[in-house]
Amino acid sequence: MATAIPLRALNNIKYNDSSSSLSAKTKLIDAREHSTLDDYSSMTEDEYTDEGFATYSNSLYRRRARDSGWTDCLSLSRLTECLMGCCIKIRNICKEEREYHSRNIQIGQVIEADFPPNVTRNQKYSLFTFFPCVLYEQFRFFLNFYFLMVAVSQFIPDLKIGYLYTYWGPLGFVLLVTMCREAFDDFKRYRRDREINNQSYKKLTRRGTKPVMCSDIAVGDIIIIDKNQRVPADMVLLQTTEKGGACFIRTDQLDGETDWKLRLAVETCQQLRSNRELFSINASIYAEKPRIDIYDFVGTFNETDNNVQEPLNIENTIWANTVVASGPIVAIVIYTGSETRSSMNASNPPTKIGLIDLEINRLTKVLFVATISLAFLLVSLKGFQGPWYRYFFRFILLFSSIIPISLRVNLDMGKIVYSWMINSDKEIPGTVVRSSTIPEELGRVGYILSDKTGTLTQNEMVFKRLHTGNVSFGMDSMEEIKEYLRSVYLSSPSGSDNIAGASGRSRMRNQPLELAHEAILTIALCHNVTPVIDKSFDNVIDDGSTSSDDDADIELSLSTNDNRIDYQASSPDEIALVKWTESVGITLVKRDLSSICLRLPNGQILRYAILQLFPFTSERKRMGIILRDNASNEILFLMKGADVVMSHIVQYNDWLEEECGNMAREGLRTLVVAKRILTREQYHDFDTRYSQAKLSVNDRAAKVNGAIERLEKDMKLLCLTGVEDKLQVDVRPTLELVRNAGIKIWMLTGDKMETATCIGVSARLISRNQTIHTFKQVSNRPEVRIELNTFRRKNDCALIIRGDTLDVCLRYYEHEFMEVACLCSAVICCRCSPTQKANIVRLIKKHTKQQTCAIGDGGNDVSMIQAADVGVGIVGKEGKQASLASDFSITQFRYIGRLLLWHGRNSYKRTASLSQFVIHRGLIISVMQAVFSSIFYFSSVALYQGFLMVGYATIYTMAPVFSLVLDVDVSADIAMTYPELYKDLSKGRSLSFKTFFIWIVISIYQGGTIMCGALLLFESEFAHIVSISFTALILTELLMVALTIRTWHW
């Protein structure tokens, strides 16, 4: 009798971590069930540990297994237990999560630690896993597994009915076609991955620079990255060409934001005269262990010689798959391959199985039950005498054509034809089918989940309108403003006080243009834009200096008309505004951390000192700057922001709210610009309060905001600007088209709420008369319940919600929220991380049971594309990463309409007709076999043998039946003109149990009529009954094909 193990053993077990604890507990439980007290009485003190106890238990198990003998080892329970144990171990090995570690990277030295290779890999298979994985994916389908069992049964003499090639030939052909298709698709992925992995970069070494491929980059390498070049790995920025160590990066492919992000080099490294000095300093970088958060980083820079320690944060990093917007730069690699932020936010590419394949798989199970039932019926009528079970299995094999193996062949070849048609469609040029297994799913889409940046928009900001209160200046008025500014400055004396003098003389002459002048000057100053001229690191390597130009030289070069100025900023809106001021004559020529310089139409340079800068945040929804005019010493407080907050800051007016609404209806992104002149006393009072607030330990953010808000009162309203984010071509009609087709549209973006709302209105995702419900920020269960109840009471509204708020809602009321959200005609989720996008797709699939289509163009959309039933990638400015990981690649968003409504419709309709006809073709010959066996004393003899059975599904009927893949029910023009026809497809009526049983009745009727008619009408030709019935069968099938086809192609 088993007893508990000694308490001494329990108390002395040492648990190193949670996994070892679980392992030890499992072993203890197993010991309680199978061991006796005497078994553990011989354990020594050292063995009462986790490892010692495991070792002792394993030795005890081996001793028992040896003593029990071979009979016990080969028992069914023992074999089952061993098999399950092996499967569990294999599963644990395959699913074992990699353990991440922090690292200390010595600058300029080779790192010997084992880090993952910096390889991009989107392949599904490797050389060793191809055959096992493909075979598993094929035989997980009941249809293929059934025919494998049927083919294997032919090796048993008592069950053998025909020739082996009758069963193994079709099965081998199916597997060969599938393997060739999967190998071809995976080879294309391999070539795309190789193109990325072979991209060349410049690696900085002690002997200079040398080329290195992306896949050969390792942790600790120092890489020089040029402007507009993709960042190959996660890095810490060491040096830039800017004197202050600043550079800008584009993060479109990581977080979906079009805003350029400012990054700062490590101060100690930036101060070095040459990047070759990086190898002479004794410095190291501590980097935290890799994690999924793309908005945070904790690290430290340590220089031992001078005892310098600098904290590193997100501003010092550049993540993989971002793009350097101002360069070149020098950076050191800290994470590679699977440890990069972009890889950790991406999910493994799943093997997608179409809904129609699952439906056909269910139908084959019904057919299998019918096969068993029919065999059992004939055996029952024959009588359970003799070896009846042998007859039973032989009848199952005789009726195996009820489940036609040619079904998989026809469906797979049909998918290839559909893919070729999509690739060859001249109406959607550049479209590529990257996964040929799911073209039918294009015809069943119920939800489209689209990215914003680069998908719905072109990612180009264009200034459209300026409203000063009494006059609205559009694009047709820009020349008038330009001429006015030219006349003002060219007719005035030099010096910065010319502005006031010229303004005073012209105010009475042309007040609307003077108001525009003041607004333009404020717009040119109130921003966070930096003008740059392209530079090179050649001077760093050759001359040993990071910047050889002083401020005077920079101003001179930038103020020269021959030089082209590039602008960099964290917001494309600001760049659009600054470019517009340049077009009318006031040009930003210099910007650093302490000053701003403007060039006027007469060539004069205005200089301002930056006293304070208040960046834009999603909470404040505004940005401000305090400047001092170097010539007049006048202190200016300039601000611009969203109308919802600026309306309470500016002085009373009666036009702002109305004009904001007008511009919003036009789809323009609005900003309110205001100004206030501060006295020296006011500024010094603010500066004192602001400095004290920044030094506060408790509630620092609240105190800083309070100090700023003391200034934000009674500001003069100057103007309202309107900027357009240019939409992709035909986005509005395309969205209207798919909406009329019954498809609901969700926009998932990492951008700000205000920006996402403007694009939703501009693209007509939100109709003009539709109410917008913005889900408030919530943090706990009661707040979520209150806001959900408020949202539930609104009808036919568009929902706008932030990603963090969505997480809180799903934590407490997942089902309730999804139930209400799915009733909305449009949903916009902003500030979504790549992982959140994928989770939203999975939630929609879970709660609606409808097919989803995800559309994106950046690396941050890959997880969403792979999680959706249909993933569509757009080749655009953000690169090809989404396109390479998608199922279908297009070049413009407007092509999605034809892809779904025409090609999706045809693929689904054709597959539904083809599958049911192939089932009918196998069922009718089985009915004839059943009639034949019943008439001839229930004998288990095949009616058609050998080549007749193989030729029936190949030579005689394959081409006519396969012609159904060319059939169309409506023309392309009708399908695109009447998108409502698509609604019927999502209901799955073309392939349902109703249509399936109709074809079964037809098969039974035709098979019984052919066999009974042949026996009755040709009784005198009984010796030729096989030929007669087979001829009638072929003619019947050809006639049925002719009647089933809806459009004949002459």
mmCIF file of all heavy atoms in Angstrom, residues 521-536:
data_model
loop_
_atom_site.group_PDB
_atom_site.id
_atom_site.type_symbol
_atom_site.label_atom_id
_atom_site.label_comp_id
_atom_site.label_asym_id
_atom_site.label_seq_id
_atom_site.Cartn_x
_atom_site.Cartn_y
_atom_site.Cartn_z
ATOM 1 N N LEU A 521 4.038 84.973 -39.408
ATOM 2 C CA LEU A 521 5.263 85.107 -38.634
ATOM 3 C C LEU A 521 5.215 84.221 -37.389
ATOM 4 O O LEU A 521 6.217 83.604 -37.009
ATOM 5 C CB LEU A 521 5.472 86.572 -38.250
ATOM 6 C CG LEU A 521 6.863 86.954 -37.747
ATOM 7 C CD1 LEU A 521 7.917 86.678 -38.803
ATOM 8 C CD2 LEU A 521 6.887 88.420 -37.317
ATOM 9 N N THR A 522 4.041 84.134 -36.758
ATOM 10 C CA THR A 522 3.887 83.283 -35.575
ATOM 11 C C THR A 522 3.996 81.804 -35.940
ATOM 12 O O THR A 522 4.642 81.021 -35.237
ATOM 13 C CB THR A 522 2.521 83.560 -34.909
ATOM 14 O OG1 THR A 522 2.439 84.941 -34.574
ATOM 15 C CG2 THR A 522 2.356 82.714 -33.657
ATOM 16 N N ILE A 523 3.400 81.424 -37.062
ATOM 17 C CA ILE A 523 3.481 80.030 -37.503
ATOM 18 C C ILE A 523 4.924 79.640 -37.802
ATOM 19 O O ILE A 523 5.360 78.518 -37.512
ATOM 20 C CB ILE A 523 2.593 79.812 -38.748
ATOM 21 C CG1 ILE A 523 1.120 79.973 -38.376
ATOM 22 C CG2 ILE A 523 2.823 78.428 -39.350
ATOM 23 C CD1 ILE A 523 0.180 79.974 -39.569
ATOM 24 N N ALA A 524 5.692 80.575 -38.367
ATOM 25 C CA ALA A 524 7.081 80.289 -38.702
ATOM 26 C C ALA A 524 7.960 80.148 -37.471
ATOM 27 O O ALA A 524 9.074 79.615 -37.568
ATOM 28 C CB ALA A 524 7.635 81.399 -39.602
ATOM 29 N N LEU A 525 7.478 80.606 -36.307
ATOM 30 C CA LEU A 525 8.265 80.541 -35.075
ATOM 31 C C LEU A 525 7.774 79.483 -34.093
ATOM 32 O O LEU A 525 8.565 78.917 -33.330
ATOM 33 C CB LEU A 525 8.248 81.912 -34.374
ATOM 34 C CG LEU A 525 8.985 83.055 -35.078
ATOM 35 C CD1 LEU A 525 8.675 84.380 -34.398
ATOM 36 C CD2 LEU A 525 10.486 82.801 -35.100
ATOM 37 N N CYS A 526 6.484 79.191 -34.093
ATOM 38 C CA CYS A 526 5.891 78.294 -33.085
ATOM 39 C C CYS A 526 5.856 76.864 -33.617
ATOM 40 O O CYS A 526 4.874 76.435 -34.246
ATOM 41 C CB CYS A 526 4.480 78.779 -32.730
ATOM 42 S SG CYS A 526 3.712 77.816 -31.415
ATOM 43 N N HIS A 527 6.930 76.150 -33.370
ATOM 44 C CA HIS A 527 7.012 74.779 -33.850
ATOM 45 C C HIS A 527 8.236 74.119 -33.226
ATOM 46 O O HIS A 527 8.960 74.734 -32.430
ATOM 47 C CB HIS A 527 7.109 74.741 -35.383
ATOM 48 C CG HIS A 527 8.214 75.600 -35.926
ATOM 49 N ND1 HIS A 527 9.552 75.289 -35.809
ATOM 50 C CD2 HIS A 527 8.171 76.800 -36.566
ATOM 51 C CE1 HIS A 527 10.280 76.217 -36.354
ATOM 52 N NE2 HIS A 527 9.476 77.159 -36.818
ATOM 53 N N ASN A 528 8.485 72.885 -33.638
ATOM 54 C CA ASN A 528 9.669 72.158 -33.196
ATOM 55 C C ASN A 528 10.378 71.564 -34.411
ATOM 56 O O ASN A 528 10.811 70.416 -34.418
ATOM 57 C CB ASN A 528 9.288 71.050 -32.209
ATOM 58 C CG ASN A 528 10.471 70.552 -31.413
ATOM 59 O OD1 ASN A 528 11.514 71.207 -31.351
ATOM 60 N ND2 ASN A 528 10.335 69.385 -30.810
ATOM 61 N N VAL A 529 10.497 72.372 -35.472
ATOM 62 C CA VAL A 529 11.059 71.939 -36.746
ATOM 63 C C VAL A 529 12.526 72.356 -36.806
ATOM 64 O O VAL A 529 12.892 73.442 -36.357
ATOM 65 C CB VAL A 529 10.282 72.541 -37.927
ATOM 66 C CG1 VAL A 529 10.877 72.097 -39.256
ATOM 67 C CG2 VAL A 529 8.821 72.139 -37.842
ATOM 68 N N THR A 530 13.346 71.478 -37.396
ATOM 69 C CA THR A 530 14.772 71.759 -37.566
ATOM 70 C C THR A 530 15.125 71.714 -39.044
ATOM 71 O O THR A 530 14.896 70.702 -39.704
ATOM 72 C CB THR A 530 15.630 70.735 -36.803
ATOM 73 O OG1 THR A 530 15.267 70.748 -35.431
ATOM 74 C CG2 THR A 530 17.106 71.056 -36.952
ATOM 75 N N PRO A 531 15.686 72.817 -39.591
ATOM 76 C CA PRO A 531 16.162 72.775 -40.985
ATOM 77 C C PRO A 531 17.569 72.196 -41.033
ATOM 78 O O PRO A 531 18.414 72.496 -40.186
ATOM 79 C CB PRO A 531 16.155 74.253 -41.388
ATOM 80 C CG PRO A 531 16.405 74.980 -40.113
ATOM 81 C CD PRO A 531 15.803 74.157 -38.994
ATOM 82 N N VAL A 532 17.824 71.340 -42.023
ATOM 83 C CA VAL A 532 19.146 70.704 -42.137
ATOM 84 C C VAL A 532 19.588 70.690 -43.575
ATOM 85 O O VAL A 532 18.796 70.790 -44.510
ATOM 86 C CB VAL A 532 19.129 69.262 -41.598
ATOM 87 C CG1 VAL A 532 18.849 69.226 -40.121
ATOM 88 C CG2 VAL A 532 18.133 68.415 -42.365
ATOM 89 N N ILE A 533 20.925 70.584 -43.742
ATOM 90 C CA ILE A 533 21.536 70.323 -45.047
ATOM 91 C C ILE A 533 22.222 68.973 -44.948
ATOM 92 O O ILE A 533 22.854 68.667 -43.936
ATOM 93 C CB ILE A 533 22.550 71.415 -45.419
ATOM 94 C CG1 ILE A 533 21.821 72.735 -45.709
ATOM 95 C CG2 ILE A 533 23.371 71.008 -46.632
ATOM 96 C CD1 ILE A 533 22.743 73.856 -46.100
ATOM 97 N N ASP A 534 22.059 68.166 -45.972
ATOM 98 C CA ASP A 534 22.648 66.822 -45.947
ATOM 99 C C ASP A 534 24.152 66.905 -45.710
ATOM 100 O O ASP A 534 24.861 67.664 -46.358
ATOM 101 C CB ASP A 534 22.396 66.091 -47.264
ATOM 102 C CG ASP A 534 20.936 65.756 -47.417
ATOM 103 O OD1 ASP A 534 20.221 65.799 -46.392
ATOM 104 O OD2 ASP A 534 20.518 65.461 -48.547
ATOM 105 N N LYS A 535 24.611 66.079 -44.774
ATOM 106 C CA LYS A 535 26.029 66.019 -44.447
ATOM 107 C C LYS A 535 26.511 64.589 -44.575
ATOM 108 O O LYS A 535 25.745 63.659 -44.746
ATOM 109 C CB LYS A 535 26.274 66.532 -43.029
ATOM 110 C CG LYS A 535 25.807 67.965 -42.820
ATOM 111 C CD LYS A 535 26.028 68.400 -41.390
ATOM 112 C CE LYS A 535 25.510 69.805 -41.143
ATOM 113 N NZ LYS A 535 25.697 70.213 -39.741
ATOM 114 N N SER A 536 27.798 64.401 -44.437
ATOM 115 C CA SER A 536 28.391 63.074 -44.576
ATOM 116 C C SER A 536 29.367 62.850 -43.440
ATOM 117 O O SER A 536 29.908 63.798 -42.863
ATOM 118 C CB SER A 536 29.110 62.949 -45.923
ATOM 119 O OG SER A 536 29.874 61.788 -45.965
#
